[in-house]
Amino acid sequence: MTKPAGTHFDSDDLHEVTGILESLMSVANDENYVEDQDSEKRVLLLGRPRSLRRWDTRWLQQSGFAVTMVDDAENALVAAESLEPCAVIAEAAFRDSSRLPVYLRLLDAEDLDVPVIVLSTSGSETRDALDNGAYDVARKPFDFRIVSRRVRQAAQIADSGAALEQTRHSLRSAVELADRVREQKRTSESFEPVTGLPNRSKFQELLRRSATSITSNGNVLLVCVVSLNRFNLITEALGVKQSDQVAFDTAGILRECLQSTADSVKLESGLRTASVARIDPGRFALLMTVSPDAAELDELRRVVMERLSAPMSVDGQTVYLSPCIGAAFYPTDVSELSQVLGKAESAMRDARSRGAQFCHHSKKVDKDIARKLQIENRLHAAIDNKELRLAYQPLVDIASSRIVGCEALLRWPQPDGSFLPPAEFVPIAEASGLMVSIGRFVLNSACRQMADWRERGMDPIRMSVNVSKCQLLDPGFPDVVRRCVETHGVDPGLLDLELSERGALSPETNVVSRLEALKELGVSLSIDDFGTGEAAIAYLKDLPLDVLKIDRSYIMELRSNGAESAITSAMVALGQKLNLTVVAEGVESNEQLAMLRGMGCDQYQGFYLSPAVSPDELASLVQKTP
Ligand code: C2E
Ligand code: CA
Ligand code: CA
């Protein structure tokens, strides 16, 4: 996995800042400056051999300078460049083969910036030297005490010039670094570091930009939110590195999907813009300019589903991402630009809560309204006519193969002899407020059934009842449960309330105190559909739960080759660590059962033993099993 570059302020940068600060400090610090001065400096003397012999260089040496003498005119420049002296003392009469004073070569050399003190014997030599930029001129007779003082001055000036230059350089570096840090900050505010994709706020900005480009040509913007329902569990079970890998690979897949859709469907007019963003850890957003007929949605949805539903291999483990898509168009579905992403997200949540994989905001609204009204009306009548019934699915202890309980499941027979699935009518009952009274009916019927079985001499078994979010939010709910238990004289220890991770226990519902009130009645509490919600593991630590029911989708994917088993066995281990009874839902084969037994799972439910059946059938199943 490669990370996008330059998105973090890292230890190298820190090193650089420290370096810059240190050099600024050393310049500011006088002691260091003096120390620098004390280190040996070199003075280059250029002159004819016989002149050099006469010069009294002792004063220079006493001032701490090293001295190098060069009497070969052709070598003077090279020596000056290689020795990097702090000053040069040159005889004006020292000339090269073309009769040019050697010091002029030094003054003309571009790369050389050294003070040159010229020893002159005449007024014209002095003038020439000063005109040509010599640092200073000494007139004959040469007093080397004075010359060496000038050299010292020149060296000091050069030093402070260098220090000034160093300060300037350090400040320049500091400014550059500050610019870089500002740029990095801007990048990290806009892009997500693992995938390098735009984050939520950057996506909103891209959306605003794209919106301005569609105004004239009738095109629309398609916003899709793709959620990986398993993402949190992958992080918990396999680790952050692995889930980063999943996010990174998913980003690549989504980019390809967007590209292939854009290629396959040609936009008639206007500019096509397409972007992928990571808006939450397990959630991506896609943006695409599409033609007014919005034909691209079906294609995009198809490729994304196809690619992301395939198992992904991470570190040799096979994982299923369980993707779910919500879509909305601007401005056709949602006219307020700032709400498009939110609407696509709520469409995605809606799909997920129904166990579906896709939901289009506007189509859902139209269809839902009609269907909801119709089912709602018929439900009212069904309640009045007592059409609703309960069926009971056995719950089996894996070690002993004994039926230790059952789950009460709603059944609504239709005039044609079929049953309308509860997954379809329960959400409608919830939305219309009917679920509170249906829920009361379910609790009452289940408790009455427990009493009935007991009277018929059946060994007591646990009764699990599904509780919907709206029941749990009702402050009178614990009282309803208490009355039910008392009326039918059942042991509250045998009653188990199932709370779905997607619904009743979703993060928006703050239910801790309600759950505690229920626990005081002596009933047990299960987390249902575990692994389908978003904040799965966070709940478990804080809620007073007794049972963890692993969602059927995980069991479905259990194969003996080990695919998906990593996450399921991590869930079993987690449940056991938290002292919860772990139940696997939807076991259909002996192979799945054997794997669950190997993982140490406590109980199971599923068609392998039996679907939900009538009370009599359940009683005979209990008698038949050991
Ligand atoms: P759930 O609570 O997860 O119930 C388990 C569902 O999985 C049941 O579907 C059951 O028939 C089905 N199932 C069990 N074993 C297998 C298996 O081996 N293979 C397959 N393919 N399916 C299996 P059902 O009865 O259609 O219920 C669907 C959902 O409706 C329930 O899911 C629950 O969320 C909701 N529901 C049902 N009854 C009630 C109720 O009384 N109150 C509330 N609030 N919700 C209910
Ligand atoms: Ca359930
Ligand atoms: Ca379930």
Side-chain angles (χ1 to χ4, degrees):
M1 186 170 82
T2 46
K3 264 187 155 199
T7 45
H8 280 124
F9 185 75
D10 58 21
S11 61
D12 283 350
D13 295 318
L14 197 66
H15 217 79
E16 203 177 329
V17 178
T18 316
I20 289 172
L21 286 176
E22 273 170 3
S23 69
L24 281 170
M25 294 278 287
S26 81
V27 169
N29 190 328
D30 270 344
E31 243 176 275
N32 282 346
Y33 181 59
V34 171
E35 230 172 66
D36 248 351
Q37 262 196 321
D38 285 350
S39 68
E40 194 182 57
K41 293 196 152 74
R42 185 167 296 279
V43 179
L44 183 60
L45 268 56
L46 306 178
R48 291 164 298 176
R50 80 189 135 81
S51 312
L52 287 179
R53 271 197 301 277
R54 285 203 305 269
W55 290 351
D56 185 2
T57 59
R58 171 167 57 111
W59 300 108
L60 284 168
Q61 276 139 352
Q62 276 176 8
S63 298
F65 294 108
V67 173
T68 301
M69 297 183 175
V70 175
D71 59 6
D72 173 5
E74 306 311 317
N75 271 334
L77 187 60
V78 178
E81 280 170 349
S82 62
L83 294 174
E84 295 180 1
C86 65
V88 174
I89 300 169
E91 188 185 15
F94 183 40
R95 295 168 189 273
D96 63 12
S97 52
S98 53
R99 308 294 305 148
L100 215 72
V102 171
Y103 75 85
L104 281 181
R105 282 217 209 165
L106 267 61
L107 292 174
D108 287 348
E110 272 194 8
D111 297 339
L112 204 64
D113 185 22
V114 59
V116 178
I117 297 165
V118 176
L119 305 184
S120 114
T121 52
S122 66
S124 65
E125 277 180 354
T126 302
R127 234 185 351 266
D128 284 351
L130 291 175
D131 286 352
N132 282 299
Y135 171 78
D136 207 348
V137 180
R139 281 294 294 270
K140 203 172 177 177
F142 312 126
D143 181 342
F144 264 77
R145 247 182 311 192
I146 295 172
V147 172
S148 81
R149 191 178 300 152
R150 293 199 182 149
V151 168
R152 263 204 327 265
Q153 279 170 357
Q156 260 171 18
I157 289 170
D159 266 350
S160 53
L164 200 67
E165 184 46 41
Q166 196 190 345
T167 310
R168 256 196 227 117
H169 176 79
S170 299
L171 283 173
R172 250 197 318 272
S173 306
V175 168
E176 277 166 17
L177 188 72
D179 282 350
R180 229 174 31 238
V181 170
R182 244 197 310 277
E183 174 62 21
Q184 278 174 10
K185 190 160 169 285
R186 200 190 63 76
T187 306
S188 68
E189 276 166 4
S190 306
F191 296 91
E192 186 281 311
V194 173
T195 57
L197 292 178
N199 59 17
R200 185 181 285 269
S201 67
K202 181 73 180 171
F203 184 78
Q204 294 282 22
E205 186 192 319
L206 294 172
L207 197 58
R208 284 192 292 277
R209 255 195 256 160
S210 304
T212 55
S213 73
I214 58 159
T215 38
S216 57
N217 46 32
N219 290 330
V220 292
L221 293 180
L222 165 61
V223 172
C224 284
V225 169
V226 180
S227 163
L228 309 180
N229 294 346
R230 300 275 173 89
F231 193 78
N232 280 343
L233 273 164
I234 291 171
T235 313
E236 298 279 352
L238 303 181
V240 173
K241 189 170 147 266
Q242 283 73 7
S243 66
D244 278 356
Q245 178 74 58
V246 168
F248 189 80
D249 292 351
T250 303
I253 291 174
L254 290 176
R255 268 198 218 100
E256 286 167 22
C257 291
L258 206 58
Q259 191 58 51
S260 73
T261 308
D263 290 347
S264 69
V265 189
K266 294 274 176 277
L267 201 61
E268 277 191 9
S269 65
L271 195 70
R272 161 103 63 198
T273 60
S275 320
V276 183
R278 189 179 184 200
I279 56 173
D280 270 331
R283 205 174 281 184
F284 295 81
L286 310 179
L287 165 67
M288 190 176 193
T289 315
V290 298
S291 41
D293 65 2
E296 291 90 340
L297 175 57
D298 283 346
E299 174 62 14
L300 186 63
R301 165 194 170 178
R302 189 189 64 74
V303 288
V304 170
M305 266 307 156
E306 191 180 295
R307 296 283 309 273
L308 291 185
S309 298
M312 188 181 270
S313 173
V314 183
D315 263 10
Q317 307 265 22
T318 306
V319 293
Y320 292 82
L321 305 177
S322 181
C324 180
I325 305 178
F329 288 103
Y330 169 83
T332 38
D333 292 344
V334 187
S335 55
E336 189 60 53
L337 189 66
S338 62
Q339 291 182 2
V340 193
L341 182 61
K343 294 290 181 195
E345 269 183 305
S346 65
M348 178 278 295
R349 270 196 293 269
D350 188 79
R352 191 171 57 195
S353 70
R354 289 183 286 112
Q357 288 190 311
F358 174 77
C359 176
H360 171 196
H361 171 71
S362 76
K363 286 196 182 143
K364 170 200 154 260
V365 172
D366 290 351
K367 268 213 280 186
D368 264 16
I369 289 171
R371 195 178 61 130
K372 212 168 106 184
L373 279 175
Q374 195 217 15
I375 294 183
E376 218 183 288
N377 288 338
R378 290 180 41 231
L379 252 182
H380 278 288
I383 294 167
D384 292 345
N385 303 336
K386 303 199 175 357
E387 287 171 31
L388 295 177
R389 287 197 261 123
L390 291 183
Y392 302 90
Q393 183 175 37
L395 183 78
V396 186
D397 178 71
I398 293 181
S400 66
S401 301
R402 285 188 52 223
I403 294 176
V404 289
C406 65
E407 178 175 1
L409 293 160
L410 267 168
R411 294 293 174 258
W412 184 11
Q414 301 297 295
D416 64 0
S418 68
F419 291 90
L420 191 71
E424 208 174 330
F425 70 83
V426 166
I428 295 166
E430 283 173 340
S432 61
L434 281 173
M435 199 58 210
V436 174
S437 65
I438 294 179
R440 243 176 245 171
F441 157 82
V442 173
L443 252 177
N444 243 306
S445 309
C447 288
R448 191 183 312 119
Q449 191 57 59
M450 288 168 87
D452 189 51
W453 279 330
R454 188 190 57 216
E455 278 156 24
R456 286 161 54 183
M458 192 173 110
D459 281 344
I461 57 168
R462 207 169 84 212
M463 173 68 79
S464 295
V465 173
N466 292 287
V467 171
S468 102
K469 184 175 179 167
C470 41
Q471 288 173 276
L472 201 62
L473 290 177
D474 172 11
F477 182 62
D479 246 7
V480 171
V481 177
R482 187 181 47 77
R483 275 204 304 275
C484 223
V485 168
E486 285 171 4
T487 306
H488 300 287
V490 299
D491 174 2
L494 290 177
L495 183 63
D496 175 72
L497 303 179
E498 292 196 0
L499 310 155
S500 170
E501 190 191 50
R502 276 184 304 215
L505 290 187
S506 65
E508 310 97 75
T509 42
N510 181 12
V511 290
V512 183
S513 59
R514 192 70 35 82
L515 296 188
E516 271 155 6
L518 288 169
K519 283 293 297 176
E520 277 173 21
L521 301 175
V523 301
S524 68
L525 300 176
S526 298
I527 181 166
D528 198 3
D529 309 323
F530 184 69
T532 57
E534 269 185 84
I537 287 157
Y539 298 129
L540 298 184
K541 298 184 211 101
D542 304 331
L543 301 182
L545 298 167
D546 306 280
V547 179
L548 182 154
K549 296 187 82 170
I550 300 175
D551 189 66
R552 192 163 68 85
S553 58
Y554 292 88
I555 311 305
M556 249 161 63
E557 286 158 1
L558 276 186
R559 314 240 194 297
S560 53
N561 66 12
E564 191 69 1
S565 64
I567 293 177
T568 309
S569 62
M571 287 197 267
V572 173
L574 176 83
Q576 284 170 341
K577 211 161 151 195
L578 295 171
N579 265 331
L580 303 176
T581 301
V582 183
V583 179
E585 297 185 308
V587 174
E588 296 186 358
S589 72
N590 193 21
E591 199 183 21
Q592 291 166 333
L593 183 58
M595 286 187 73
L596 289 163
R597 184 177 288 125
M599 291 172 193
C601 182
D602 300 304
Q603 299 172 358
Y604 83 92
Q605 234 178 292
F607 294 174
Y608 179 63
L609 178 72
S610 166
V613 292
S614 70
D616 288 348
E617 284 171 293
L618 191 100
S620 71
L621 271 174
V622 172
Q623 269 178 353
K624 267 188 243 157
T625 50

